[in-house]
Amino acid sequence: MIENTTPATVIVEPATVDNNVFAPSAPPGLIYVPLGYQQITATGTAASLTVPTGATMAVISVETAGIRWRDDGTAPTASIGMPIAAAAAPIQYNGRLSAFKLIAQTG
């Protein structure tokens, strides 16, 4: 078993897209309405998102150490799953928010 010693700080902002909001500088369909905020300290145990009602996407930012994530019903491990490096550009996740799980990735 791989021991994760560096926790990762992950910022999650669940949101929905509102096509009815007028913003002259934004293309249609790109107006995001934040529905919450969650900060997760990723460790050696897979964590799930807290998904507010109506959320259809999330902006995910990894701050202090890399993580791995999966959304196929299987928990990620420190070496299996889609990686996101610390300080990488935030990702916009549009998949099944309720199935999204993340874990700290060892270096």
Side-chain angles (χ1 to χ4, degrees), residues 5-78:
T5 57
T6 306
T9 301
V10 181
I11 306 298
V12 180
E13 185 174 85
T16 189
V17 175
D18 188 345
N19 291 317
N20 299 314
V21 175
F22 177 72
S25 62
L30 294 180
I31 306 300
Y32 302 109
V33 179
L35 298 175
Y37 178 90
Q38 182 178 11
Q39 184 167 327
I40 301 169
T41 299
T43 63
T45 302
S48 300
L49 305 180
T50 300
V51 183
T53 301
T56 57
M57 57 85 61
V59 176
I60 300 173
S61 176
V62 179
E63 292 187 330
T64 57
I67 66 164
R68 290 193 180 265
W69 65 271
R70 290 181 70 156
D71 64 355
D72 62 353
T74 301
T77 68

